[in-house]
Amino acid sequence: MRKVYFVLFLAIIVTAAFLYSSKKTFDYTETASNVLFNLKRLEKNEFRLESEILKSKFFLYYDYNKIYQPILEIKSIIKQLKNGHLKNKIHKNTYILLEKYEDKIHEKENDIFKFETLNSAIKNSQIYIPELSLKYLQLNSNLDISYYLLVNKAVSTIFLLQNSMDMNFISDLKIYYEMLKNYNLEDNPELEQFHKTFLLHLRVILKNFPIYQQEFKKLIDNKEDLKLLSQMRSSFLKESQTEARTIITFNFGIGVVFLSVLAYLAFLLVKLDINNETLKALKEDLSKRLITDDLTGLPNRKAFFEAKQNYKEPTFILINIDNFKHINDLYGSSTGDQLLIELGQFIKDKVEKLNAKVFRLGADDFGVLFEDRKDELEKIVETLIQEIENNAFLLKIKKNNKVILLEISINVSAGVSFISPLLETADMVLKHAKENRKKYLIYREDMQLYKHIQQNLNLIDTIKNALQNRKVFLVYQPILDNRTGNIVEYECLVRIEDQNGNIISPAQFLPVAKESKYYSQITKEVIKQAFNQFKNTSVMFSINLSAEDIIDKGIKEYIYEMLKKHPEIAERLTFEILESESIHNYEEVQEFIKNVKAAGVRIAIDDFGSGYSNFARIVELDPDFIKIDGSLIKKLPYDIYVQIVVSTIVDFSRKLGIKTVAEFVYNEDVFSTVKSMGIDYSQGYYIGKPSQECCPPEKSS
């Protein structure tokens, strides 16, 4: 977005520059037009001036102010031009021409003044002479025809001279003047006065007309000012072309930048829109993912809590696969995942007619949610369970790089509830059903299942109190070497003491602790106490770890730190990993085992044989010991089938170089059988009960 804001800011700047350049272009065009218009006005006034000069010549009675009007306008226009656009340096030549033109106008004005003066004098005589001719007739009763003819010839010549401007008439007029001078009219004083006046006017004309004629021709023929106007126009157009090219180039550059910025902005906006669409799609995908189970594609737990709000009287069935862990252990987690996918789709298909929604709520927990059908609820649940258990799920598994099809049938249990909170009540009744070996149960408030929950809450409070008040402690149970009869190792077992001084076994508090934040604290406390107990001895000892401990980053780091800090203890330590625990991430467990074995720690697989033991997985964990589960050992002397199973485990372990430990050796018969079957070590009440009293004397310093 920062880039978009920057480009927007840049677009505003460029747009302002573009508008400014457009305004300047408009101003330039208008100014240039005004200059050309004023030049045209000068030219028009020049023609007007010439016209007025001609009028002043031919009209006997003429208002000379009309001549000066064009001159005043010309001067005004010159002033506008000098103070306007032509001041720009680029019009330097035009400005110089304008100054020259101004000088010419001043000269012309002076010439007009001279012309006007002469014209007035000549016209005065020109007007007066004809009147004198008439006056001669009035004054003279004895008309002198020759004199009169000369007078009339002079009058006619003056008229022709004035209108033709032909200087030949001046010569004629001089002749007539000279001839008239020879006349003596002294006899008649009035005629004498007339004669003198007439000659005076003839002399005025003879003297001034040549100059007048020159001034007139000068005014009319001299076109230098018009020539300057033409030069000014050409110069201005030439300079304007240069100026226009500069402005056009600048505008073109601004236009290119403007369009480039707009194009880039459009590109960014399109890209932003695409990104928004992508983000919108990602958001929709993320929203879908948030409410969708990645494995099965079914709505997940979050979707369940949202969906149940839409039901007026919801009914909820929580379905769980019995012993799903065994399927994972036997066929691998990928096969287990396939089963979960197939089962989810199977349930969805079967409940579709109920207009029900199916959810995957946990590892192997599926939920079915629909509107109230209490009257037929038992039939629905029983039918659904029956259909699931009668179905053979066809799964693909890899074996020896070959894909084979495997048919798996499963058993399920269900907890049913229509009492809020649906999931919690259904889960409680599901566990209650499993504990009581029921296929399903419908939750009722009189079951008092919340009492069990309250007991768990009380137990969590006890765990918290024990951690805070150092009421977590260890007891140590000896392990006997069956071959030598010596105690060779002690297993560290954790206990807690409640507020009343009662000792609580791990079987009671560990399952509850695993559901709380205190489990990792208990594990760290056990490791700390065990290391303190055995740090000054040469005694071998073992600590139990669960799969949860191994995948807990905090606990792993704590273990690595303790092993690094106490390398002499690491060599006497065995970690017992519970075989019955759900180990989903074997790679992570293998990595942990590899790291601790590098520090000298040995690995034992605890409670082996308690469930559906997976020999292949055990080999991958590379243990040093296999501890055979007490449920097998306690029956060992009395059950031939158990003997076969234990014998298989012992033989398997011996071939792999793994030592075996018999747990729950509680009497002589069991101990004798264990030794006879070649089991390497024994542990149980017959060998020694767990006790806080431990252990052999400390190492001598």
Side-chain angles (χ1 to χ4, degrees), residues 60 72 79 138 248 256 286 358 413 416 435 438 444 451 469 494 499 506 511 528 556 584 612 630:
L60 291 177
L72 290 174
K79 187 176 180 181
Q138 294 172 355
I248 289 170
V256 169
L286 180 60
V358 178
S413 301
V416 184
E435 289 171 0
K438 302 285 187 183
R444 302 188 314 275
K451 184 178 179 181
N469 297 287
V494 64
Q499 294 88 332
K528 184 180 77 173
K556 275 197 299 186
H584 297 293
Y612 210 108

Side-chain angles (χ1 to χ4, degrees), residues 181-193:
K181 278 174 58 178
N182 296 326
Y183 283 89
N184 186 359
L185 300 177
E186 292 179 352
D187 296 339
N188 188 337
E190 288 183 345
L191 287 176
E192 177 65 20
Q193 183 60 39

Side-chain angles (χ1 to χ4, degrees), residues 11 34 72 131 218 274 293 295 325 344 358-359 454 489 513 533 540 579 654 658:
N34 284 335
L72 290 174
E131 291 179 358
K218 183 179 179 182
I274 293 172
D293 176 58
L295 178 64
K325 169 185 175 300
V358 178
F359 305 84
Q454 186 58 49
E489 188 170 344
Q533 177 67 32
M540 311 290 285
E579 190 272 343
R654 186 177 295 129
I658 302 171

Side-chain angles (χ1 to χ4, degrees), residues 213-228:
Q213 193 263 358
Q214 288 179 0
E215 291 298 325
F216 176 74
K217 286 189 69 177
K218 183 179 179 182
L219 288 173
I220 298 302
D221 294 341
N222 189 351
K223 303 297 184 185
E224 289 186 12
D225 48 352
L226 290 174
K227 187 178 178 182
L228 282 170

